[in-house]
Amino acid sequence: MHSTIFVLNDNPISENDVIDDDYFSVSQIERQGYDYCGVTNLEYEARDYFSGYYSDFFQTEIMKTEYEDYPEDNFVQYKMTIKNREKFMKGVYKRYRKALKEFSNALTLEKLLDSEDRDIHYLLYKLQCVMDDTCALQFYSDYGDFESPEQLMRRCKDGDVYYIVAAFDYHF
């Protein structure tokens, strides 16, 4: 399956900061367990994600930037302001509590000791994915690593503004 990595910046990019296929090394992507596919159309990807489910949580403002040498539409930038952080995290909290309850109800010492028990492996994976879903939208920023929307929301403060400056496609 395919998903998207959005590259975040604290400031709008300049013509010298153009992000292309060379931005990520193959080892950087593979270290995360992803199969890098390439740069995608930022305007299309951002509209797709942030006009749907995430529109309640991320306030976006399109910033058209056309550089003399790079007039392509992939230099449309999105200014993203975190809003409704608590509302977003309430949904995560409910999913986490539900997954934790399901896990604790199914767990026995015998099942935990059984390294082949597929139910327990699946429940552990499901529990981890609530707060660190690597099979969905990811963000990459100067903060230093790939983050799920849930991780980004946990560390962001009210008033934080980011510029979405590129979108990359990957397999998972």
Side-chain angles (χ1 to χ4, degrees):
M1 295 182 69
H2 286 265
S3 196
T4 303
I5 299 167
F6 286 110
V7 180
L8 300 181
N9 224 347
D10 291 339
N11 299 298
I13 61 170
S14 69
E15 190 168 0
N16 297 330
D17 298 326
V18 171
I19 296 173
D20 57 20
D21 282 323
D22 296 331
Y23 184 80
F24 286 124
S25 68
V26 172
S27 64
Q28 190 177 10
I29 293 291
E30 288 178 349
R31 190 173 62 239
Q32 296 296 320
Y34 306 145
D35 178 20
Y36 173 70
C37 298
V39 177
T40 65
N41 182 305
L42 175 60
E43 186 170 11
Y44 171 78
E45 294 288 346
R47 283 185 194 278
D48 187 41
Y49 277 103
F50 298 114
S51 65
Y53 174 73
Y54 293 107
S55 65
D56 288 344
F57 313 112
F58 298 103
Q59 177 184 347
T60 57
E61 174 188 333
I62 300 171
M63 302 177 65
K64 294 251 183 212
T65 49
E66 290 191 20
Y67 299 119
E68 189 174 312
D69 295 336
Y70 304 100
E72 298 90 6
D73 63 353
N74 63 333
F75 291 100
V76 171
Q77 297 177 68
Y78 274 67
K79 180 179 176 183
M80 182 176 80
T81 304
I82 307 303
K83 69 172 191 175
N84 295 330
R85 181 175 179 259
E86 187 175 325
K87 181 179 173 188
F88 182 86
M89 291 308 285
K90 278 183 182 178
V92 173
Y93 175 75
K94 286 179 185 177
R95 288 194 310 274
Y96 194 78
R97 293 282 303 231
K98 181 179 177 187
L100 189 59
K101 184 177 180 180
E102 189 177 337
F103 178 73
S104 64
N105 287 342
L107 186 64
T108 63
L109 180 58
E110 292 77 20
K111 286 187 174 204
L112 190 61
L113 290 170
D114 184 356
S115 63
E116 301 298 317
D117 192 308
R118 298 179 67 80
D119 291 339
I120 296 301
H121 286 284
Y122 174 70
L123 290 170
L124 281 168
Y125 170 77
K126 198 169 155 184
L127 191 61
Q128 177 189 353
C129 284
V130 174
M131 288 301 283
D132 187 19
D133 190 353
T134 58
C135 300
L137 168 68
Q138 295 282 302
F139 292 103
Y140 183 82
S141 67
D142 290 339
Y143 187 68
D145 212 347
F146 295 88
E147 299 177 281
S148 66
E150 292 79 11
Q151 291 168 316
L152 177 66
M153 284 292 199
R154 288 185 68 222
R155 77 170 175 83
C156 284
K157 308 291 183 272
D158 284 338
D160 282 357
V161 174
Y162 294 97
Y163 296 87
I164 303 172
V165 297
F168 293 86
D169 185 36
Y170 67 97
H171 284 126
F172 60 89

